[in-house]
Amino acid sequence: MSILVTGGAGYIGSHTCVEMLNAGYEIVIVDNFYNSCPESLNRIKELTGKDFKFYECDIRDREGLDKIFAENNIEAVIHFAGLKAVGESCAKPLEYYENNVGGTITLCEAMRDAGCKKIVFSSSATVYGENNVSPLKETMQIGGTTNPYGTTKYMIELILRDLWASDNEWSIALLRYFNPIGAHKSGRIGENPNGIPNNLMPYITQVAVGKLACLSVFGDDYDTPDGTGVRDYIHVVDLALGHVKAVEKVLADKGVDAYNLGTGIGYSVLDIVHAFEKACGKPLNYKIVDRRPGDLATCYSDPSKALEVLGWKAERGLDEMCEDSWRWQKNNPEGY
Ligand code: NAD
Ligand code: UFG
């Protein structure tokens, strides 16, 4: 029996594959390397001393998926594969709906026809939209997303709930990630963005390593303690361990449920900058600029449901997140 991991060569996927292998699961990875590269797979093997099957395949390729299900005894799927850049999704909405929503539908059709009805899905805190007040709870109404990327996550959650309503044999975990940062302790796997990073931590690490000149802090006039945006940063290894718990849950129980994966603590942009300066031992060049359109002032989770139902809690603090992000960047200045 194996767990199929779509998008397993990517940032969160590679860390999750390491923790799944360490927990004793057999895995099969499928990825089209749109936003990742084969070297991450070598490093998963290096870190775990374990082997796994890999298929270079697009999840929109139904025949390719059917072959994977025919050749392996897949018990459940962890579904990371998707496009994730908020700004790009505004410029290319059709590509985002086609890849994220279309890809998930094709994957679920292949699963259904293969008799595999257990899935852990990468959703996002973005599904809470603009109108809920932090701490965000799973009982709050979702929707009101502000960009096509976020809307794909919202739509997929609705589709998966409809799928369960039509057939109660399905087990579905919707994992709403807050802001993953950090890297594996070894410094061998980490986030490897193409081009200039959109997200805060990879931008900071590239300034620290000298690839970028200066961090722009997007606004210091928000209604937050220091005026900069507040987010719930979570160590990617904690997030990966949350997937191991979610897999246990979908293997054990039928149903559909959403879980926040966050720490419950909000840090500002300047908190992150100063924690990172401590981790790398030097000052970081930054300047305050205008707000970035579409950003919220504050977004953090109430993570208590994941503790109660999955028995999962984030354990790693901000200093460790910054130290691990820095080790990965310093050891791999050009990425993989
Ligand atoms: P990533 O880009 O590093 O990983 C995604 C992987 O999926 C990549 O390896 C990519 O090549 C692959 N992929 C994309 N489309 C594919 C397709 N059609 N067929 C096969 N493979 C495909 O991103 P990540 O940060 O690891 O995110 C993983 C998932 O988590 C995504 O669904 C993302 O939307 C979601 N998520 C990420 C964040 C974040 O801040 N990183 C936050 C919330 C949710
Ligand atoms: N920020 C800067 N400068 C930068 C980049 C970011 O000041 O160069 C600030 C942002 O304004 C925000 C904070 O740092 O206050 C975090 O920004 P990120 O871009 O790292 O993350 P977001 O919270 O904007 O977005 C993340 C994911 C999205 C997801 C969203 C909501 O990247 O995929 O959380 O869950 F949709």
Side-chain angles (χ1 to χ4, degrees), residues 195-271:
I196 296 179
N198 298 305
N199 294 118
L200 180 63
M201 184 53 86
Y203 206 105
I204 287 179
T205 61
Q206 292 197 15
V207 171
V209 86
K211 284 181 77 177
L212 294 170
C214 181
L215 170 73
S216 295
V217 174
F218 297 139
D220 68 350
D221 56 353
Y222 285 106
D223 182 17
T224 60
D226 66 17
T228 66
V230 167
R231 296 289 182 276
D232 184 340
Y233 296 92
I234 172 168
H235 197 296
V236 67
V237 173
D238 278 326
L239 193 63
L241 291 166
H243 289 74
V244 178
K245 294 291 191 186
V247 166
E248 285 170 13
K249 175 72 179 162
V250 297
L251 291 178
D253 296 317
K254 293 175 181 140
V256 57
D257 229 336
Y259 305 93
N260 288 339
L261 296 186
T263 62
I265 303 168
Y267 287 112
S268 74
V269 177
L270 292 180
D271 289 334

Side-chain angles (χ1 to χ4, degrees), residues 105-176:
I105 291 173
T106 302
L107 172 68
C108 289
E109 286 172 341
M111 290 176 64
R112 178 195 59 200
D113 293 351
C116 171
K117 298 185 178 177
K118 300 173 195 303
I119 184 167
V120 174
F121 172 62
S122 298
S123 188
S124 167
T126 196
V127 300
Y128 288 107
E130 296 188 295
N131 301 324
N132 290 303
V133 177
S134 294
L136 299 167
K137 293 176 78 71
E138 294 85 346
T139 47
M140 289 174 170
Q141 193 174 359
I142 61 168
T145 45
T146 53
N147 57 75
Y149 164 73
T151 306
T152 68
K153 295 293 177 188
Y154 172 59
M155 289 170 75
I156 294 167
E157 285 207 11
L158 297 183
I159 290 167
L160 292 175
R161 285 187 186 275
D162 284 344
L163 180 58
W164 183 81
S166 74
D167 177 356
N168 293 176
E169 288 298 307
W170 281 84
S171 321
I172 301 169
L174 310 169
L175 302 185
R176 296 177 181 159

